Amino acid sequence: MPALDELQKAYEASRKDKEFQRELIHLHKTYIGRPTPLYFAKRLTESLGGAKIYLKREDLAHTGAHKINNAVGQALLAKKMGKTRLIAETGAGQHGVATATGAALLGLECEIYMGSDDIVRQALNVFRMKLLGAKVNEVSIGSRTLKDAINEAMRDWTTNVGTTHYVLGTAFGPHPFPVMVRDFQSVIGKEARKQIMDAEGKLPDYLIACVGGGSNSIGLFHEFLPEDVKMIGVEAGGRGVDTGDHAARFAGGSVGVLQGTKSYLLQDEEGNVLGTHSVSAGLDYASVGPEHAYLKDTGRVQYTYANDDEALSAFELLSGTEGIIPALESSHALAEAVKFAPRLSKDKIIIVNLSGRGDKDVQHVAQIKGVSIS
Amino acid sequence: MSSRITRRFKEVLGKKGKAFIPYIMAGDPDINRTRELIRILEDCGADIIELGVPFSDPLADGPTIQKAAQRALDEGVTLKKVIEFVAESRGSTQIPVILMTYYNPVFKYGEERFVLDASAAGVDGIIVPDLPPDEAGNLIRYAKKSGLDTIFLLAPTSTNDRILKVAKASTGFIYYVPITGITGSKLALDSSIEGHIARIRSVTAKPVAVGFGISTPEEAAGISRFADGVIVGSAIVKRVEELDGELKSYLMSLRSAIK
């Protein structure tokens, strides 16, 4: 609790600290490569024959995903707090890479926790983290994925709280994490708003983003919440919600408390957390950010899911029609756009958050398709 | 009327002794073994028993208790079954029993129903390590009505405000964790522990028991010089796991060290 109080105070101070904000904006421009483009996907739009689809290209941010926005923000905050060591959990490896990058940038020590199942399917990112100077700790207890990596990172933080800042990678966990991560990611929506006004002279009709913990989606949605813009969050349907092998917390879960957060949770009758499955490691998580639970309950955002095979089809479709290989996580958002866009007229506008690039997934997809590339 | 835990502390401290509070995981490796272990613990001089409830994501626990929880879950042990087990064991023992359970099973069970069922079963107190008093208003209210003690944790990093809050919310005793870390971590026996306990005592007359990281009789003896009670968990759970034939003599050596 004292660590959370300390963090909240430091975070509130940083919001008002002009120098901190100036440094962060400077890093956005010169290091992360912001603003990321808003790209009109002309051939994808034509092939679907409905609404115009724009892609917010977070895949073009440094390290290849939106995760860097939050990691650099928190790393900068940790440095101001006098911490010398960063720890983080990672599922797909993108947040681990982003945190290791932030640590290298600011000269901080770094250790990453990653489930042993994810280490296998995201081997490339494990090597990247090591190149960046981070130590990668394998978590082989529980479901051996993101949830267990968060448990271990929290245990580490409890132990080394004096020297260490825990860079939680998604809009989850105890306060102030969900708010802080959302704020660091809200640059996505702020840019997208300006960019769509420049391109179309009006706000979009729909936003679509995938929801694991929910940081890329809340980052896009936040700016548009007061506006007349509809929003769709896409969870991982895995092998199908009725099979039990999925990570669709809204479709298949109920309210619970995990890792200091009250939200929708995949759990059994006794309150034990269930194992999850998704083809994408970044969506393979039993709970979801509490602000999403609120947006679901108020009806402001509609939540749906895409199954593994739909995400894989969208992965190939975007690669072939636009020359962009999307992350498997982002492919879930694309899969919803593929289903949804043809039902809309051609004057409607959809922005899909392309939260990450798919290079990290190529080997895994090849394996699923039975193609040998080694 | 004061609770069975409070009475036990009065009794032990009145005889110039200190309380020995062993922890075991309910249902590890099965409930019959737990029944047998409770008898052994009592025979070896335990004053209060802390009974772990298995949970899928035990955030405050190190590898030893994580694995114990997994074995108990594999055995099908649930919060409900642990409560039923305590009810059944009241036929043969009246030793005070504290359940240590994470919050989600309690939340899922229903806080009010949990408190009613647990106290009817003869549970004396509860520790919910992932629930700070700030979020425990309802649970404390129900527990007070049923006479169930609520025990909260303090750590070396706790501020004076937090010490006050935890001291106020805790009944039975206050649980001081002498390390920043998880169960089964390495303890550094130094003078800071005495200072932290003195800080707690300056705001409350409630007993202070210390747990997390205590494994040897020497450590237990060192801690018991400052504390009213000593809690030993992982070191016992590990011996249970390894079917250690010396379990009884180990427990006896802890018992005689805690004074």
Side-chain angles (χ1 to χ4, degrees):
Chain A
M1 288 300 292
L4 293 170
D5 292 341
E6 179 194 5
L7 179 60
Q8 189 183 344
K9 279 196 193 101
Y11 174 62
E12 289 301 329
S14 77
R15 293 178 69 172
K16 294 180 198 111
D17 180 348
K18 289 208 173 81
E19 196 197 315
F20 181 92
Q21 294 301 329
R22 211 168 34 237
E23 255 181 280
L24 187 61
I25 290 166
H26 182 71
L27 288 173
H28 277 171
K29 282 188 187 154
T30 61
Y31 189 71
I32 299 179
R34 304 209 71 90
T36 58
L38 183 72
Y39 167 72
F40 173 50
K42 188 161 176 283
R43 292 194 67 224
L44 179 68
T45 298
E46 281 167 3
S47 77
L48 295 173
K52 290 174 90 167
I53 298 175
Y54 281 84
L55 304 176
K56 180 59 175 162
R57 297 290 307 274
E58 290 300 296
D59 60 317
L60 292 177
H62 181 42
T63 70
H66 72 290
K67 291 290 183 190
I68 192 76
N69 304 326
N70 170 53
V72 163
Q74 285 199 44
L76 200 58
L77 183 63
K79 182 104 178 175
K80 298 267 182 220
M81 290 170 76
K83 305 290 180 186
T84 56
R85 179 172 173 265
L86 299 182
I87 55 168
E89 83 294 345
T90 197
Q94 289 304 113
H95 176 57
V97 166
T99 303
T101 301
L105 173 70
L106 297 170
L108 301 166
E109 277 179 70
C110 185
E111 280 188 48
I112 304 295
Y113 290 90
M114 190 167 186
S116 46
D117 282 10
D118 292 339
I119 283 183
V120 172
R121 58 181 162 174
Q122 301 289 346
L124 180 66
N125 271 342
V126 174
F127 186 64
R128 287 171 78 196
M129 286 182 259
K130 289 179 180 166
L131 271 180
L132 292 161
K135 183 170 175 238
V136 180
N137 298 311
E138 178 169 346
V139 180
S140 52
I141 196 150
S143 62
R144 300 182 299 274
T145 57
L146 184 56
K147 164 178 84 76
D148 309 278
I150 294 179
N151 286 341
E152 274 307 294
M154 285 187 165
R155 290 180 185 120
D156 180 318
W157 197 32
T158 309
T159 307
N160 301 298
V161 63
T163 59
T164 299
H165 174 65
Y166 175 23
V167 184
L168 190 59
T170 192
F172 193 77
H175 185 66
F177 282 109
V179 171
M180 180 170 70
V181 175
R182 177 198 70 200
D183 290 350
F184 283 134
Q185 293 294 0
S186 64
V187 65
I188 302 171
K190 285 187 184 126
E191 287 175 5
R193 180 186 187 126
K194 188 173 177 304
Q195 288 164 325
I196 198 73
M197 290 304 293
D198 288 348
E200 294 280 348
K202 61 174 182 174
L203 292 175
D205 299 286
Y206 292 90
L207 304 175
I208 302 179
C210 64
V211 185
S215 73
N216 90 78
S217 45
I218 204 75
L220 176 65
F221 294 170
H222 186 63
E223 176 71 13
F224 296 93
L225 284 173
E227 308 297 344
D228 184 21
V229 175
K230 295 187 180 67
M231 303 174 189
I232 303 171
V234 187
E235 300 186 281
R239 299 189 181 99
V241 168
D242 49 353
T243 67
D245 290 340
H246 64 88
R249 293 68 44 103
F250 291 125
S254 56
V255 176
V257 178
L258 176 67
Q259 293 161 340
T261 314
K262 185 176 178 186
S263 184
Y264 284 79
L265 177 65
L266 291 172
Q267 57 182 330
D268 65 16
E269 284 304 305
E270 307 292 339
N272 286 301
V273 180
L274 292 171
T276 52
H277 164 81
S278 169
V279 69
S280 80
L283 302 183
D284 200 349
Y285 182 58
S287 190
V288 57
E291 191 165 353
H292 286 290
Y294 171 76
L295 294 170
K296 149 93 178 162
D297 285 355
T298 60
R300 178 64 187 89
V301 176
Q302 186 201 328
Y303 292 87
T304 182
Y305 55 86
N307 293 350
D308 285 352
D309 50 0
E310 295 170 320
L312 286 163
S313 303
F315 178 87
E316 292 189 39
L317 178 66
L318 193 73
S319 301
T321 55
E322 295 289 349
I324 299 170
I325 302 175
L328 281 176
E329 289 76 16
S330 323
S331 300
H332 286 71
L334 288 164
E336 174 61 19
V338 168
K339 280 187 265 183
F340 192 59
R343 304 211 293 265
L344 298 175
S345 60
K346 291 183 178 178
D347 61 338
K348 298 289 185 199
I349 299 166
I350 300 175
I351 296 178
V352 176
N353 201 10
L354 199 68
S355 54
R357 70 179 182 222
D359 307 46
K360 69 182 174 64
D361 297 311
V362 167
Q363 207 164 9
H364 184 48
V365 172
Q367 194 194 349
I368 291 169
K369 291 172 68 80
V371 179
S372 171
I373 54 171
S374 58
Chain B
M1 197 179 83
S2 61
S3 75
R4 189 149 46 183
I5 294 170
T6 301
R7 290 202 305 275
R8 178 56 58 95
F9 267 103
K10 271 199 183 129
E11 203 179 296
V12 171
L13 296 171
K15 287 189 282 189
K16 303 279 176 222
K18 300 293 172 73
F20 171 33
I21 309 174
Y23 167 105
I24 53 170
M25 174 63 71
D28 168 33
D30 57 47
I31 216 78
N32 285 332
R33 177 67 173 149
T34 304
R35 191 175 292 120
E36 184 188 2
L37 281 169
I38 286 182
R39 203 174 54 240
I40 293 172
L41 294 172
E42 209 174 352
D43 287 350
C44 294
D47 296 298
I48 295 169
I49 289 172
E50 192 184 330
L51 199 53
V53 177
F55 178 53
S56 56
D57 294 79
L59 260 180
D61 287 304
T64 300
I65 294 181
Q66 288 175 39
K67 282 187 279 173
Q70 194 55 57
R71 288 191 294 272
L73 287 174
D74 291 345
E75 188 65 19
V77 176
T78 62
L79 178 57
K80 186 164 180 283
K81 286 190 179 162
V82 176
I83 292 171
E84 286 165 5
F85 166 75
V86 173
E88 175 225 289
S89 71
R90 283 305 177 214
S92 55
T93 175
Q94 297 309 314
I95 192 165
V97 170
I98 299 165
L99 295 191
M100 166 147 166
T101 172
Y102 287 86
Y103 183 60
N104 199 50
V106 173
F107 176 77
K108 190 79 180 165
Y109 198 104
E111 289 184 327
E112 188 167 19
R113 193 163 71 89
F114 162 70
V115 167
L116 289 173
D117 289 358
S119 56
V123 171
D124 297 286
I126 50 171
I127 300 171
V128 187
D130 59 343
L131 187 72
D134 322 54
E135 307 287 343
N138 288 338
L139 196 63
I140 291 171
R141 214 175 51 245
Y142 299 137
K144 198 159 268 171
K145 233 189 294 178
S146 295
L148 198 65
D149 281 327
T150 50
I151 295 136
F152 291 94
L153 281 67
L154 285 170
T157 51
S158 298
T159 58
N160 290 337
D161 283 355
R162 186 140 294 272
I163 291 175
L164 270 174
K165 195 176 270 182
V166 164
K168 190 164 175 281
S170 296
T171 55
F173 66 93
I174 293 158
Y175 195 135
Y176 179 66
V177 178
I179 51 167
T180 55
I182 51 179
T183 58
S185 303
K186 182 93 194 81
L187 180 74
L189 249 188
D190 59 35
S191 57
S192 72
I193 298 175
E194 186 177 5
H196 285 297
I197 293 176
R199 225 158 42 105
I200 300 168
R201 293 205 194 279
S202 72
V203 304
T204 179
K206 290 171 187 169
V208 179
V210 176
F212 279 39
I214 303 165
S215 68
T216 67
E218 292 71 32
E219 289 164 345
I223 293 288
S224 71
R225 284 171 44 222
F226 323 119
D228 301 311
V230 177
I231 303 159
V232 181
S234 298
I236 295 173
V237 171
K238 196 160 184 61
R239 283 173 170 82
V240 170
E241 179 188 353
E242 290 165 354
L243 304 170
D244 188 339
E246 307 296 309
L247 177 65
K248 278 186 194 169
S249 61
Y250 170 69
L251 292 169
M252 302 292 272
S253 67
L254 285 175
R255 172 65 280 177
S256 54
I258 297 167
K259 56 191 177 199

